[in-house]
Amino acid sequence: MSITKLTVKELSEKLRNKEISSVDVTKAYLDRIESADDEIGAYIRVTKENAIKQAENADRIIADGNATALTCIPYGMKDNICTKGIVTSCASKMLENFNPPYDAFVSKKMNDENAVMLGKTNMDEFAMGSTTENSAFGVTKNPVDTTRVPGGSSGGSAAAVAADEAAFALGSDTGGSIRQPAAFCGVVGLKPTYGTVSRNGLVAFASSLDQIGPLTKTVEDAAIVMNVLAGHDKLDSTSVNRAYGDFTADIKNGVKGMKAALPVEYFGEGISSEVKEAVMNAATAKYSAEAAEAEAAAPAEPKNKLLKKVQIFWTKIIEGADTMYDSLNQDIETVINKSNAVKEKKAAANERELTQKEKKEMSQEAIEMACGQKRNQLQYKIRVAQQSSIEDLAFDNDLII
């Protein structure tokens, strides 16, 4: 089997057993990139010289018996994650010459593990996209079928792993930017729970949602990479300070006897019937083979009494949104009518001097401001109700009154 087709676990074992050298592994991946990436476009820039230096250093570390699970494992880094002295452009011409003066938290973690960075992977510019067609440096294609998109915005990272141009890659996920391209390219993608992986050094898209995570060939590889990524960072106020344990600990136990729930909301209006059938059949077949079950399921009722109360409270708000909007529209219509009346009165007054009372009545700006404030307050409440999870609402003292 070609070196570039090995998993992270397999590469790590061969390196530590000295069956292959770090430099040989790195060169194999660089050769693969050279032969395949003109068509795939997974990388914005390849850091060949730096990768060779890192590999040479990794060989010395392995020889000293100090190798870790990621020592000399070649990987790709999404181009919105800062790498000291290596351009981080976010796939934008605006930042094409930006050399970060520091490493992101995850970059430092990779360096501490002596992993080998092959280059910066392509993405939708500033992570705003879902196809990796919106990059200033070219389009990335799906290695499974080059006539199709690889997904995005971490499409370059997903394509690099799928095309054997990296053993694993790092991406960022706000609303699906790791998971969706992983699905498109047939690899494993994980968005860690918020706060598990530091965002320090990640060029933000939406700070309250962004997370850095791995794209790998197997679930076990994702767990191996997560063992390195997870951890507290005092420079990130949203980083959770807790012990995470070994993410690979339960891999050997499999999923026998478990039940996987596929949320019914994912199969609602708008989904292709072909996609729905394929996903359900694949899930059923996969879990049946592992002596487990998979079925579409509605969300469970919260057991916590407080959560139930919050759920009922906000459900009523959401259900009443139309009524509130109707009321708001009536208020706006009233304001418009008043505004028109003011204009008519002003025209009638014409050349005569206005009284103080008339000036106040004609203050269209004051009327519109009052209406705008009411509209903004109402829209904010509705938006919070629609976008927040029940758990978030349960612990927001401003929302539970």
Side-chain angles (χ1 to χ4, degrees):
M1 179 185 290
S2 169
I3 288 176
T4 60
K5 291 191 176 296
L6 297 175
T7 65
V8 169
K9 182 182 179 182
E10 291 168 340
L11 278 171
S12 183
E13 289 175 348
K14 287 183 178 296
L15 284 162
R16 280 185 283 185
N17 292 335
K18 300 178 182 177
E19 297 176 35
I20 50 179
S21 75
S22 299
V23 172
D24 287 342
V25 170
T26 301
K27 286 182 176 179
Y29 275 97
L30 291 171
D31 289 344
R32 173 62 182 167
I33 293 170
E34 187 174 350
S35 65
D37 206 51
D38 282 347
E39 180 180 17
I40 301 301
Y43 287 90
I44 290 178
R45 65 191 57 82
V46 178
T47 52
K48 182 175 181 178
E49 292 183 6
N50 186 64
I52 295 295
K53 288 180 181 179
Q54 288 181 323
E56 290 171 346
N57 183 55
D59 271 332
R60 289 190 289 270
I61 290 169
I62 292 172
D64 292 339
N66 296 320
T68 66
L70 292 186
T71 298
C72 186
I73 305 300
Y75 72 99
M77 181 79 84
K78 188 175 180 180
D79 201 33
N80 61 345
I81 300 173
C82 287
T83 44
K84 184 177 180 179
I86 298 173
V87 172
T88 300
S89 70
C90 295
S92 173
K93 288 287 187 180
M94 293 173 64
L95 296 178
E96 65 178 329
N97 296 314
F98 172 58
N99 278 295
Y102 67 98
D103 276 317
F105 179 82
V106 295
S107 300
K108 188 176 184 302
K109 282 270 194 176
M110 290 296 120
N111 291 335
D112 290 344
E113 293 290 309
N114 295 289
V116 174
M117 191 182 80
L118 298 168
K120 305 300 288 287
T121 58
N122 202 13
M123 56 183 284
D124 289 293
E125 186 172 6
F126 290 111
M128 297 182 184
S130 57
T131 62
T132 316
E133 295 175 296
N134 306 305
S135 166
F137 303 105
V139 171
T140 298
K141 297 178 181 178
N142 192 323
V144 179
D145 181 349
T146 55
T147 66
R148 300 176 186 271
V149 298
S153 63
S154 304
S157 291
V161 175
D164 300 324
E165 295 181 25
F168 73 94
L170 298 186
S172 63
D173 192 313
T174 304
S177 286
I178 289 175
R179 295 160 290 170
Q180 184 246 39
F184 279 24
C185 294
V187 298
V188 175
L190 174 69
K191 179 184 182 180
T193 299
Y194 190 76
T196 301
V197 179
S198 172
R199 294 181 296 104
N200 177 24
L202 170 68
V203 179
F205 179 10
S207 296
S208 59
L209 297 171
D210 297 339
Q211 275 288 273
I212 296 170
L215 293 104
T216 61
K217 293 179 179 177
T218 68
V219 171
E220 186 168 21
D221 280 359
I224 291 170
V225 178
M226 277 301 300
N227 279 342
V228 174
L229 297 180
H232 180 244
D233 177 12
K234 64 182 180 180
L235 298 179
D236 179 359
S237 62
T238 64
S239 175
V240 179
N241 190 3
R242 54 158 290 189
Y244 290 97
D246 181 3
F247 288 97
T248 67
D250 293 324
I251 292 287
K252 60 182 181 299
N253 296 331
V255 295
K256 184 177 181 180
M258 294 185 181
K259 179 178 288 188
L262 306 177
V264 291
E265 294 90 342
Y266 293 176
F267 301 95
E269 183 179 353
I271 187 174
S272 160
S273 58
E274 184 180 3
V275 171
K276 178 179 179 179
E277 184 178 354
V279 171
M280 288 301 299
N281 288 345
T284 301
K286 173 65 177 175
Y287 281 91
S288 295
E290 299 289 339
E293 298 179 59
E295 64 179 38
E301 287 292 323
K303 296 180 181 179
N304 184 289
K305 291 182 180 179
L306 176 60
L307 291 182
K308 285 185 178 180
K309 288 181 179 179
V310 174
Q311 185 181 52
I312 292 170
F313 176 70
W314 283 104
T315 298
K316 287 181 178 179
I317 287 181
I318 294 171
E319 289 176 347
D322 288 340
T323 301
M324 287 187 281
Y325 270 122
D326 288 342
S327 175
L328 179 62
N329 287 332
Q330 289 175 4
D331 289 344
I332 293 173
E333 186 175 351
T334 299
V335 170
I336 292 173
N337 291 335
K338 286 183 178 179
S339 176
N340 291 335
V342 168
K343 290 177 181 177
E344 292 173 3
K345 189 172 183 180
K346 185 176 181 180
N350 204 5
E351 295 182 355
R352 70 181 177 82
E353 185 177 354
L354 301 177
T355 66
Q356 195 67 25
K357 182 179 179 181
E358 286 174 326
K359 289 180 180 179
K360 186 175 180 181
E361 289 174 350
M362 293 180 203
S363 179
Q364 181 178 355
E365 181 179 354
I367 295 173
E368 290 178 346
M369 184 178 296
C371 180
Q373 289 175 342
K374 182 172 182 179
R375 180 178 66 248
N376 291 340
Q377 290 171 356
L378 181 57
Q379 289 178 335
Y380 170 75
K381 288 182 180 179
I382 294 171
R383 187 165 64 251
V384 169
Q386 292 173 332
Q387 295 182 352
S388 298
S389 68
I390 297 302
E391 287 79 5
D392 290 339
L393 296 172
F395 297 102
D396 191 330
N397 293 329
D398 292 333
L399 298 176
I400 305 176
I401 298 176

Short mmCIF file of all heavy atoms in Angstrom, two decimals, residues 94-136:
data_model
loop_
_atom_site.label_atom_id
_atom_site.label_comp_id
_atom_site.label_asym_id
_atom_site.label_seq_id
_atom_site.Cartn_x
_atom_site.Cartn_y
_atom_site.Cartn_z
N MET A 94 -6.81 40.39 -0.02
CA MET A 94 -6.59 41.41 1.00
C MET A 94 -5.47 41.01 1.95
O MET A 94 -4.77 41.86 2.50
CB MET A 94 -7.88 41.65 1.79
CG MET A 94 -8.99 42.29 1.00
SD MET A 94 -10.53 42.36 1.94
CE MET A 94 -10.05 43.46 3.26
N LEU A 95 -5.32 39.71 2.19
CA LEU A 95 -4.33 39.22 3.16
C LEU A 95 -3.25 38.36 2.50
O LEU A 95 -2.58 37.59 3.18
CB LEU A 95 -5.03 38.40 4.26
CG LEU A 95 -6.03 39.14 5.15
CD1 LEU A 95 -6.67 38.18 6.14
CD2 LEU A 95 -5.35 40.29 5.88
N GLU A 96 -3.07 38.50 1.19
CA GLU A 96 -2.15 37.59 0.50
C GLU A 96 -0.70 37.74 0.94
O GLU A 96 0.12 36.85 0.69
CB GLU A 96 -2.27 37.75 -1.02
CG GLU A 96 -1.84 39.09 -1.55
CD GLU A 96 -1.94 39.14 -3.08
OE1 GLU A 96 -1.76 38.09 -3.73
OE2 GLU A 96 -2.21 40.23 -3.62
N ASN A 97 -0.37 38.83 1.60
CA ASN A 97 1.00 39.02 2.09
C ASN A 97 1.07 39.08 3.62
O ASN A 97 2.07 39.53 4.18
CB ASN A 97 1.59 40.32 1.51
CG ASN A 97 1.72 40.25 0.00
OD1 ASN A 97 2.20 39.25 -0.53
ND2 ASN A 97 1.29 41.30 -0.69
N PHE A 98 0.02 38.62 4.28
CA PHE A 98 -0.01 38.68 5.74
C PHE A 98 0.77 37.51 6.36
O PHE A 98 0.39 36.36 6.23
CB PHE A 98 -1.45 38.67 6.25
CG PHE A 98 -1.56 38.55 7.76
CD1 PHE A 98 -0.96 39.49 8.58
CD2 PHE A 98 -2.26 37.50 8.32
CE1 PHE A 98 -1.05 39.38 9.97
CE2 PHE A 98 -2.36 37.38 9.70
CZ PHE A 98 -1.75 38.33 10.53
N ASN A 99 1.85 37.83 7.04
CA ASN A 99 2.63 36.84 7.78
C ASN A 99 2.35 37.01 9.27
O ASN A 99 2.83 37.98 9.88
CB ASN A 99 4.14 37.04 7.53
CG ASN A 99 4.58 36.41 6.22
OD1 ASN A 99 4.53 35.20 6.06
ND2 ASN A 99 5.02 37.24 5.30
N PRO A 100 1.60 36.13 9.87
CA PRO A 100 1.27 36.29 11.29
C PRO A 100 2.52 36.32 12.17
O PRO A 100 3.45 35.55 11.94
CB PRO A 100 0.43 35.04 11.59
CG PRO A 100 -0.11 34.61 10.27
CD PRO A 100 0.97 34.94 9.28
N PRO A 101 2.53 37.18 13.19
CA PRO A 101 3.67 37.24 14.10
C PRO A 101 3.62 36.19 15.20
O PRO A 101 4.48 36.17 16.08
CB PRO A 101 3.56 38.66 14.68
CG PRO A 101 2.09 38.93 14.66
CD PRO A 101 1.55 38.25 13.43
N TYR A 102 2.60 35.36 15.17
CA TYR A 102 2.45 34.34 16.20
C TYR A 102 1.73 33.12 15.62
O TYR A 102 1.09 33.20 14.57
CB TYR A 102 1.67 34.88 17.40
CG TYR A 102 0.20 35.17 17.09
CD1 TYR A 102 -0.80 34.25 17.40
CD2 TYR A 102 -0.18 36.37 16.48
CE1 TYR A 102 -2.12 34.51 17.11
CE2 TYR A 102 -1.49 36.63 16.19
CZ TYR A 102 -2.47 35.70 16.51
OH TYR A 102 -3.79 35.96 16.21
N ASP A 103 1.84 32.01 16.33
CA ASP A 103 1.12 30.80 15.95
C ASP A 103 -0.23 30.74 16.67
O ASP A 103 -0.34 31.13 17.85
CB ASP A 103 1.91 29.54 16.35
CG ASP A 103 2.96 29.16 15.33
OD1 ASP A 103 2.65 29.21 14.13
OD2 ASP A 103 4.09 28.81 15.73
N ALA A 104 -1.24 30.24 15.98
CA ALA A 104 -2.50 29.93 16.65
C ALA A 104 -2.25 28.85 17.70
O ALA A 104 -1.25 28.12 17.64
CB ALA A 104 -3.53 29.43 15.62
N PHE A 105 -3.15 28.74 18.63
CA PHE A 105 -3.03 27.72 19.68
C PHE A 105 -2.85 26.33 19.07
O PHE A 105 -1.98 25.56 19.49
CB PHE A 105 -4.28 27.75 20.57
CG PHE A 105 -4.28 26.73 21.67
CD1 PHE A 105 -3.60 26.96 22.86
CD2 PHE A 105 -4.99 25.54 21.53
CE1 PHE A 105 -3.62 26.02 23.89
CE2 PHE A 105 -5.02 24.60 22.56
CZ PHE A 105 -4.33 24.85 23.73
N VAL A 106 -3.65 26.01 18.06
CA VAL A 106 -3.56 24.67 17.46
C VAL A 106 -2.29 24.51 16.64
O VAL A 106 -1.75 23.40 16.54
CB VAL A 106 -4.81 24.35 16.60
CG1 VAL A 106 -6.06 24.28 17.46
CG2 VAL A 106 -4.99 25.35 15.47
N SER A 107 -1.80 25.59 16.06
CA SER A 107 -0.53 25.52 15.33
C SER A 107 0.61 25.19 16.28
O SER A 107 1.48 24.36 15.98
CB SER A 107 -0.23 26.86 14.63
OG SER A 107 -1.23 27.20 13.72
N LYS A 108 0.60 25.85 17.43
CA LYS A 108 1.62 25.58 18.44
C LYS A 108 1.52 24.13 18.93
O LYS A 108 2.53 23.45 19.14
CB LYS A 108 1.47 26.54 19.62
CG LYS A 108 2.61 26.46 20.64
CD LYS A 108 2.45 27.51 21.72
CE LYS A 108 3.65 27.48 22.66
NZ LYS A 108 3.86 26.16 23.30
N LYS A 109 0.29 23.66 19.09
CA LYS A 109 0.08 22.26 19.52
C LYS A 109 0.70 21.30 18.51
O LYS A 109 1.36 20.32 18.89
CB LYS A 109 -1.43 21.99 19.64
CG LYS A 109 -2.07 22.54 20.90
CD LYS A 109 -2.02 21.50 22.00
CE LYS A 109 -2.93 21.84 23.14
NZ LYS A 109 -2.95 20.77 24.17
N MET A 110 0.47 21.56 17.23
CA MET A 110 1.03 20.70 16.19
C MET A 110 2.56 20.75 16.20
O MET A 110 3.24 19.73 16.05
CB MET A 110 0.51 21.13 14.81
CG MET A 110 -0.96 20.85 14.57
SD MET A 110 -1.34 19.08 14.58
CE MET A 110 -2.52 19.02 15.94
N ASN A 111 3.11 21.94 16.39
CA ASN A 111 4.57 22.07 16.46
C ASN A 111 5.14 21.35 17.67
O ASN A 111 6.20 20.72 17.59
CB ASN A 111 4.96 23.56 16.50
CG ASN A 111 4.69 24.27 15.19
OD1 ASN A 111 4.64 23.64 14.13
ND2 ASN A 111 4.50 25.57 15.25
N ASP A 112 4.44 21.43 18.79
CA ASP A 112 4.89 20.73 20.00
C ASP A 112 4.91 19.22 19.80
O ASP A 112 5.72 18.52 20.40
CB ASP A 112 3.99 21.09 21.18
CG ASP A 112 4.17 22.54 21.64
OD1 ASP A 112 5.18 23.16 21.24
OD2 ASP A 112 3.31 23.04 22.37
N GLU A 113 3.99 18.74 18.95
CA GLU A 113 3.91 17.30 18.67
C GLU A 113 4.88 16.90 17.56
O GLU A 113 5.00 15.72 17.24
CB GLU A 113 2.48 16.93 18.25
CG GLU A 113 1.45 17.08 19.34
CD GLU A 113 1.62 16.04 20.43
OE1 GLU A 113 1.71 14.84 20.11
OE2 GLU A 113 1.66 16.44 21.61
N ASN A 114 5.52 17.88 16.94
CA ASN A 114 6.43 17.65 15.82
C ASN A 114 5.74 17.01 14.63
O ASN A 114 6.31 16.19 13.90
CB ASN A 114 7.63 16.80 16.26
CG ASN A 114 8.49 17.53 17.28
OD1 ASN A 114 9.18 18.49 16.95
ND2 ASN A 114 8.43 17.07 18.53
N ALA A 115 4.47 17.41 14.42
CA ALA A 115 3.77 17.03 13.20
C ALA A 115 4.35 17.88 12.06
O ALA A 115 4.98 18.91 12.29
CB ALA A 115 2.27 17.28 13.34
N VAL A 116 4.15 17.43 10.82
CA VAL A 116 4.75 18.11 9.66
C VAL A 116 3.65 18.80 8.85
O VAL A 116 2.78 18.14 8.27
CB VAL A 116 5.51 17.11 8.77
CG1 VAL A 116 5.99 17.79 7.49
CG2 VAL A 116 6.67 16.50 9.53
N MET A 117 3.71 20.13 8.81
CA MET A 117 2.73 20.86 8.03
C MET A 117 3.16 20.93 6.56
O MET A 117 4.23 21.45 6.24
CB MET A 117 2.54 22.28 8.57
CG MET A 117 1.33 22.99 7.94
SD MET A 117 1.10 24.68 8.51
CE MET A 117 2.31 25.52 7.49
N LEU A 118 2.31 20.43 5.67
CA LEU A 118 2.62 20.40 4.24
C LEU A 118 2.26 21.71 3.55
O LEU A 118 2.84 22.03 2.51
CB LEU A 118 1.85 19.26 3.58
CG LEU A 118 2.20 17.85 4.08
CD1 LEU A 118 1.18 16.84 3.57
CD2 LEU A 118 3.61 17.46 3.65
N GLY A 119 1.32 22.45 4.11
CA GLY A 119 0.93 23.71 3.49
C GLY A 119 -0.40 24.20 4.02
O GLY A 119 -1.00 23.61 4.93
N LYS A 120 -0.87 25.32 3.44
CA LYS A 120 -2.13 25.93 3.83
C LYS A 120 -3.19 25.57 2.79
O LYS A 120 -3.00 25.77 1.59
CB LYS A 120 -1.99 27.46 3.94
CG LYS A 120 -0.87 27.93 4.87
CD LYS A 120 -1.05 27.44 6.30
CE LYS A 120 -2.17 28.13 7.04
NZ LYS A 120 -1.88 29.53 7.44
N THR A 121 -4.31 25.06 3.27
CA THR A 121 -5.34 24.55 2.37
C THR A 121 -6.34 25.62 1.95
O THR A 121 -6.59 26.60 2.66
CB THR A 121 -6.10 23.37 3.01
OG1 THR A 121 -6.68 23.81 4.25
CG2 THR A 121 -5.16 22.21 3.27
N ASN A 122 -6.92 25.40 0.80
CA ASN A 122 -7.86 26.35 0.19
C ASN A 122 -9.17 26.39 0.97
O ASN A 122 -9.53 25.44 1.69
CB ASN A 122 -8.11 25.98 -1.26
CG ASN A 122 -8.61 27.17 -2.08
OD1 ASN A 122 -8.54 28.31 -1.65
ND2 ASN A 122 -9.11 26.89 -3.27
N MET A 123 -9.90 27.46 0.77
CA MET A 123 -11.16 27.67 1.50
C MET A 123 -11.97 28.74 0.79
O MET A 123 -11.47 29.44 -0.09
CB MET A 123 -10.85 28.13 2.93
CG MET A 123 -9.99 29.40 2.98
SD MET A 123 -9.53 29.93 4.63
CE MET A 123 -11.07 30.66 5.17
N ASP A 124 -13.24 28.86 1.15
CA ASP A 124 -14.02 30.01 0.70
C ASP A 124 -13.47 31.24 1.41
O ASP A 124 -13.13 31.19 2.59
CB ASP A 124 -15.50 29.83 1.06
CG ASP A 124 -16.16 28.76 0.21
OD1 ASP A 124 -16.29 28.97 -1.00
OD2 ASP A 124 -16.55 27.71 0.76
N GLU A 125 -13.35 32.34 0.68
CA GLU A 125 -12.74 33.55 1.22
C GLU A 125 -13.36 33.95 2.55
O GLU A 125 -14.58 34.09 2.68
CB GLU A 125 -12.88 34.69 0.21
CG GLU A 125 -12.15 35.95 0.61
CD GLU A 125 -12.14 36.99 -0.50
OE1 GLU A 125 -12.82 36.76 -1.53
OE2 GLU A 125 -11.50 38.03 -0.33
N PHE A 126 -12.49 34.08 3.56
CA PHE A 126 -12.89 34.42 4.93
C PHE A 126 -13.92 33.43 5.47
O PHE A 126 -14.71 33.76 6.35
CB PHE A 126 -13.41 35.86 5.02
CG PHE A 126 -12.34 36.88 4.83
CD1 PHE A 126 -12.31 37.67 3.69
CD2 PHE A 126 -11.34 37.05 5.77
CE1 PHE A 126 -11.31 38.62 3.50
CE2 PHE A 126 -10.33 37.99 5.59
CZ PHE A 126 -10.31 38.77 4.45
N ALA A 127 -13.91 32.21 4.94
CA ALA A 127 -14.80 31.12 5.38
C ALA A 127 -16.26 31.38 5.05
O ALA A 127 -17.15 30.71 5.58
CB ALA A 127 -14.64 30.85 6.89
N MET A 128 -16.52 32.31 4.14
CA MET A 128 -17.91 32.65 3.80
C MET A 128 -18.33 31.94 2.53
O MET A 128 -18.28 32.50 1.43
CB MET A 128 -18.05 34.17 3.67
CG MET A 128 -17.78 34.91 4.96
SD MET A 128 -18.01 36.68 4.80
CE MET A 128 -17.50 37.23 6.44
N GLY A 129 -18.70 30.69 2.68
CA GLY A 129 -19.14 29.91 1.53
C GLY A 129 -19.25 28.45 1.90
O GLY A 129 -18.84 28.02 2.99
N SER A 130 -19.77 27.65 1.00
CA SER A 130 -19.97 26.23 1.29
C SER A 130 -19.58 25.34 0.12
O SER A 130 -19.98 24.19 0.04
CB SER A 130 -21.43 25.96 1.65
OG SER A 130 -22.29 26.40 0.60
N THR A 131 -18.75 25.88 -0.80
CA THR A 131 -18.36 25.09 -1.98
C THR A 131 -16.87 25.17 -2.29
O THR A 131 -16.37 24.44 -3.13
CB THR A 131 -19.12 25.57 -3.23
OG1 THR A 131 -18.77 26.95 -3.48
CG2 THR A 131 -20.63 25.46 -3.04
N THR A 132 -16.14 26.05 -1.64
CA THR A 132 -14.73 26.35 -1.92
C THR A 132 -14.54 26.76 -3.38
O THR A 132 -13.54 26.45 -4.01
CB THR A 132 -13.81 25.17 -1.55
OG1 THR A 132 -14.22 24.65 -0.27
CG2 THR A 132 -12.36 25.60 -1.40
N GLU A 133 -15.53 27.45 -3.89
CA GLU A 133 -15.42 28.09 -5.21
C GLU A 133 -15.14 29.58 -5.05
O GLU A 133 -14.81 30.26 -6.01
CB GLU A 133 -16.72 27.91 -5.98
CG GLU A 133 -17.04 26.47 -6.34
CD GLU A 133 -18.41 26.35 -6.99
OE1 GLU A 133 -19.42 26.65 -6.31
OE2 GLU A 133 -18.46 25.96 -8.16
N ASN A 134 -15.28 30.08 -3.80
CA ASN A 134 -15.17 31.51 -3.56
C ASN A 134 -13.82 31.88 -2.98
O ASN A 134 -13.72 32.63 -2.00
CB ASN A 134 -16.29 31.96 -2.61
CG ASN A 134 -17.66 31.55 -3.11
OD1 ASN A 134 -18.02 31.89 -4.22
ND2 ASN A 134 -18.41 30.82 -2.30
N SER A 135 -12.76 31.34 -3.55
CA SER A 135 -11.39 31.65 -3.12
C SER A 135 -10.72 32.54 -4.16
O SER A 135 -10.92 32.36 -5.36
CB SER A 135 -10.59 30.35 -2.96
OG SER A 135 -9.21 30.62 -2.85
N ALA A 136 -9.91 33.48 -3.67
CA ALA A 136 -9.19 34.36 -4.60
C ALA A 136 -8.07 33.63 -5.31
O ALA A 136 -7.50 34.15 -6.28
CB ALA A 136 -8.62 35.55 -3.82
#
